[in-house]
Amino acid sequence: MRRTAIALVAHDAKKDAMADFAAAHRLKLSACDLFATGTTGGRIMERCPELKVQRLKSGPLGGDQQIGALIAEGRVDVLIFFVDPLSPLPHDVDVKALTRLGLVYDIAMALNPVTAEMVLAATKPNRLS
């Protein structure tokens, strides 16, 4: 059995919400392997130093693609991506590519806190490989 792997990504205006989400669910998240884009991962680690988060590059610098590669390799089971629908996104193509990979590889995906709550509640910390 392997631990469930969760990727955590948040747009700039949603990074505080992601850190709040991680803090509220630190016990369950601590039983999972966590990956995050650079700044989001940094915010989570500042708020929840007990969580082990593998930080990748910042989203616009390739972090979204790194998360996408992990999804394609079967190393991510859940994508939690707090999207800010009201801000213009210069790297919108990367965002669409990441969510498309989540759909192609049929992983659980949440794009807002309410859905993330539901997905996390249904997530088991260990998966059968």
Side-chain angles (χ1 to χ4, degrees):
M1 254 198 295
R2 71 172 177 84
R3 288 164 46 111
T4 296
I6 300 176
L8 303 167
V9 183
H11 287 148
D12 288 345
K14 300 294 182 174
K15 291 189 190 313
D16 288 338
M18 180 62 80
D20 292 344
F21 177 83
H25 300 284
R26 65 182 76 208
L27 184 62
K28 188 146 193 181
L29 292 174
S30 69
C32 301
D33 291 331
L34 303 177
F35 299 94
T37 49
T39 311
T40 300
R43 287 275 188 83
I44 292 167
M45 291 168 64
E46 285 172 9
R47 182 82 187 273
C48 308
E50 70 279 7
L51 291 179
K52 291 182 173 86
V53 180
Q54 183 175 341
R55 287 177 64 197
L56 306 170
K57 293 185 181 288
S58 173
L61 299 178
D64 294 331
Q65 286 89 351
Q66 288 179 301
I67 297 281
L70 291 170
I71 292 170
E73 292 169 358
R75 294 179 55 201
V76 169
D77 306 300
V78 176
L79 171 64
I80 298 177
F81 190 164
F82 287 179
V83 176
D84 177 12
L86 301 178
S87 294
L89 305 170
H91 59 288
D92 191 47
V93 185
D94 300 333
V95 172
K96 287 179 182 171
L98 182 55
T99 55
R100 183 173 54 247
L101 283 169
L103 293 168
V104 167
Y105 288 94
D106 197 26
I107 65 167
M109 188 166 43
L111 303 178
N112 62 39
V114 170
T115 308
E117 295 271 347
M118 292 178 185
V119 168
L120 195 59
T123 299
K124 295 182 180 359
N126 293 306
R127 288 184 45 114
L128 295 175
S129 294

